[in-house]
Amino acid sequence: MQQIGFMLSTGKFDNLRAFYKQILPNMTEDSWMIIENVLHVRTVKKGDFVVREGNVCDYVSFMNYGLVSMYYLVNGKERIISFCNEHNYISDYQSFLTRNPALTFIEALEDTEIVDISYADLQMLYQKVPEANIIGRLIAEQVFLQMSEGSTAEAKETILERYTNLINKHPWLLQRVPQYMIASSLGITPEALSRIKSRVAKQRRVKSISGLT
Amino acid sequence: MQQIGFMLSTGKFDNLRAFYKQILPNMTEDSWMIIENVLHVRTVKKGDFVVREGNVCDYVSFMNYGLVSMYYLVNGKERIISFCNEHNYISDYQSFLTRNPALTFIEALEDTEIVDISYADLQMLYQKVPEANIIGRLIAEQVFLQMSEGSTAEAKETILERYTNLINKHPWLLQRVPQYMIASSLGITPEALSRIKSRVAKQRRVKSISGLT
DNA sequence: TATAAATCTTAACCCAGATCAATGAAAAAT
DNA sequence: ATTTTTCATTGATCTGGGTTAAGATTTATA
């Protein structure tokens, strides 16, 4: 029976703990224990869902490993909002905060392991662990900044710029995600992305022939 | 001289205080006094700026009265992100949090009065006033939800739907903001919005002639 | 009230990306 | 190794909104 205790401390929470220690270097061991007690590990097989449209998203989840996409379904078609890989938070935070049904799907693109904290437990932590409010604030700020960067890019950059920036910033996307999903995350069809890329390739060829490179 | 003290308590902070009391019914008078000491009132004339692109946004501001628009400048043209009127928070929160230069302008569309709290003072409050972390968290959450609603609408609704929803939700916009700004906030030109509206009007006429209404 | 300035509407033309369809290439499954 | 399935590319055509430009209407100001 004690073995369960040992199993729980085999490191499933290590990533998250490191994350918190970085934010709050002087969080007490007591506080951490209270937090650890409400954490739950969940594994999600490739193709399964972390969140489904229509259900209230009851968790904020820390990605231990794996990869997920978050998307809307618009006229039966996926419109990807973002990808999320290991060591980041994932949640339909809008649904989580408002307690309204999620408008998104969060789907595992690879076998994925996450650490859940439920809405109720988080509210409890806000009451019992003073540091939790700081963590909650920082999560909200971080989630805001992520979304904010997305809209800034959408407003100020051309699709080509957004594509190259995306790839430069997250080179692993090319290895782990098919191009049609990247297109979707840019808000265009795979055909359009293909054409944009070939246009660039053509221009480069012309330039180098005319000796401009 | 004491009169200044009296002048400061003529109610410039009443709106904000009510706002906080609503969030934290049992905040102590002491905590409030510490907060009140770092608040500063600022008036902004119509046409002047609360935030300019290129400057770090150093304040989160509560709108006492007035109306502002927040926008990007893209190829010399305004792309409005949002409007904000009395009794809401306004800030380039991205710049505020990251301490990077703002990418936006926040411009007063009417004579406006705001209550500023500076970044440094807010960090101080996070240290000294426990409740401040809750307020900070709730502000971050609220700002996130606002932006989040915006992107959801952009992804899931047609422009016409977004227009009618916008007007239904904020009817005062029609009175206080020219249509070309509303168009900009929908991401289209004034010409396009005009066309869309006349298309709808025409369809309605056809329907009522053929007796469908 | 008259005049100027700002705003809204309408029309003609253009273009980036959508849609539909066909072909190839690559990966997975058998 | 061979057959499927999935994914990427390319072409043809369509379309919503952009652009430009001209009036019309409203609002502001003398």
Side-chain angles (χ1 to χ4, degrees):
Chain A
M1 280 300 123
Q2 270 303 102
Q3 228 176 337
I4 291 171
F6 280 107
M7 285 176 67
L8 281 176
S9 58
T10 52
K12 298 285 190 185
F13 302 143
D14 290 357
N15 287 324
L16 187 52
R17 182 179 203 158
F19 187 87
Y20 284 169
K21 285 270 148 129
Q22 197 187 336
I23 294 176
L24 299 167
N26 38 23
M27 179 167 66
T28 65
E29 195 62 22
D30 276 4
S31 293
W32 169 251
M33 288 311 276
I34 298 177
I35 293 175
E36 197 178 82
N37 270 321
V38 298
L39 300 178
H40 295 281
V41 171
R42 174 164 49 143
T43 61
V44 185
K45 284 249 164 62
K46 176 176 176 170
D48 285 351
F49 294 89
V50 178
V51 173
R52 307 182 88 105
E53 183 185 15
N55 299 337
V56 172
C57 173
D58 205 38
Y59 303 102
V60 170
S61 312
F62 185 85
M63 300 265 303
N64 262 349
Y65 62 78
L67 176 61
V68 303
S69 70
M70 182 174 190
Y71 60 86
Y72 297 112
L73 219 50
V74 182
N75 300 131
K77 279 165 202 153
E78 292 184 14
R79 170 64 221 274
I80 293 178
I81 307 160
S82 62
F83 302 101
C84 182
N85 67 351
E86 48 275 359
H87 306 169
N88 287 104
Y89 274 103
I90 183 70
S91 175
D92 184 326
Y93 207 52
Q94 188 176 17
S95 167
F96 182 85
L97 289 179
T98 64
R99 315 309 292 148
N100 290 328
L103 302 173
T104 65
F105 294 88
I106 298 179
E107 181 180 343
L109 303 180
E110 303 173 357
D111 290 351
T112 291
E113 185 181 89
I114 60 186
V115 180
D116 285 332
I117 183 166
S118 77
Y119 184 83
D121 286 335
L122 189 58
Q123 303 311 308
M124 180 276 286
L125 287 184
Y126 288 154
Q127 304 291 328
K128 292 204 183 157
V129 183
E131 292 100 326
N133 277 295
I134 301 176
I135 292 175
R137 174 170 61 79
L138 292 169
I139 291 175
E141 288 175 357
Q142 194 196 308
V143 169
F144 165 80
L145 285 177
Q146 263 171 258
M147 163 154 288
S148 187
E149 273 176 43
S151 356
T152 301
E154 205 159 316
K156 301 203 82 164
E157 295 165 12
T158 66
I159 288 177
L160 179 56
E161 285 167 340
R162 285 170 60 203
Y163 176 76
T164 54
N165 288 342
L166 187 72
I167 297 306
N168 287 336
K169 215 165 173 186
H170 310 288
W172 51 269
L173 278 174
L174 283 180
Q175 319 305 322
R176 296 167 75 180
V177 170
Q179 204 145 88
Y180 74 89
M181 286 190 185
I182 293 177
S184 170
S185 80
L186 297 172
I188 60 176
T189 60
E191 292 92 333
L193 179 55
S194 180
R195 270 187 280 254
I196 288 168
K197 293 205 312 173
S198 78
R199 213 181 299 149
V200 173
K202 207 164 285 176
Q203 284 180 344
R204 249 200 235 108
R205 245 175 282 137
V206 172
K207 272 198 194 166
S208 71
I209 287 171
S210 61
L212 292 176
T213 300
Chain B
M1 279 301 118
Q2 271 301 102
Q3 227 175 338
I4 292 172
F6 281 107
M7 284 175 71
L8 281 175
S9 57
T10 52
K12 298 286 192 186
F13 302 143
D14 290 356
N15 286 325
L16 187 51
R17 184 179 202 159
F19 188 86
Y20 284 170
K21 285 270 149 132
Q22 195 187 337
I23 294 176
L24 299 168
N26 39 20
M27 179 168 66
T28 66
E29 195 62 22
D30 276 5
S31 293
W32 169 250
M33 289 310 276
I34 297 178
I35 293 175
E36 195 177 83
N37 270 322
V38 299
L39 300 178
H40 294 281
V41 171
R42 176 164 47 142
T43 61
V44 185
K45 284 250 164 63
K46 176 176 178 171
D48 285 351
F49 293 89
V50 178
V51 173
R52 307 182 87 104
E53 182 185 16
N55 299 338
V56 172
C57 173
D58 205 38
Y59 303 102
V60 170
S61 311
F62 184 84
M63 301 262 305
N64 263 348
Y65 62 79
L67 176 61
V68 303
S69 70
M70 182 173 188
Y71 60 87
Y72 297 112
L73 220 49
V74 182
N75 300 134
K77 278 166 203 154
E78 291 185 14
R79 170 63 221 272
I80 292 178
I81 306 159
S82 62
F83 302 101
C84 182
N85 67 351
E86 49 274 0
H87 305 171
N88 288 104
Y89 274 103
I90 184 70
S91 174
D92 184 326
Y93 207 53
Q94 186 175 18
S95 167
F96 182 86
L97 289 178
T98 63
R99 315 308 293 147
N100 290 327
L103 302 173
T104 65
F105 293 87
I106 297 180
E107 182 181 340
L109 303 181
E110 302 172 357
D111 290 350
T112 290
E113 185 182 87
I114 60 186
V115 179
D116 286 331
I117 183 165
S118 77
Y119 184 83
D121 286 335
L122 189 58
Q123 302 312 309
M124 180 276 286
L125 287 184
Y126 287 154
Q127 304 292 328
K128 292 204 184 157
V129 184
E131 293 100 325
N133 277 295
I134 300 177
I135 293 174
R137 174 170 62 79
L138 292 170
I139 290 174
E141 288 175 356
Q142 193 196 310
V143 169
F144 165 80
L145 284 176
Q146 263 171 258
M147 162 155 286
S148 188
E149 273 176 44
S151 0
T152 302
E154 205 160 316
K156 300 205 84 165
E157 295 164 12
T158 66
I159 287 176
L160 179 57
E161 285 167 340
R162 284 170 60 203
Y163 176 75
T164 54
N165 289 341
L166 187 70
I167 297 305
N168 287 335
K169 217 167 173 185
H170 310 288
W172 52 269
L173 277 175
L174 283 179
Q175 319 305 323
R176 294 167 76 179
V177 170
Q179 203 144 89
Y180 74 88
M181 286 190 185
I182 294 177
S184 170
S185 80
L186 297 171
I188 60 176
T189 60
E191 293 91 334
L193 179 56
S194 184
R195 269 186 295 227
I196 288 168
K197 293 206 311 172
S198 79
R199 215 181 298 149
V200 173
K202 207 164 286 176
Q203 284 181 343
R204 248 199 237 112
R205 245 174 283 138
V206 172
K207 271 197 194 167
S208 72
I209 286 170
S210 61
L212 290 176
T213 299

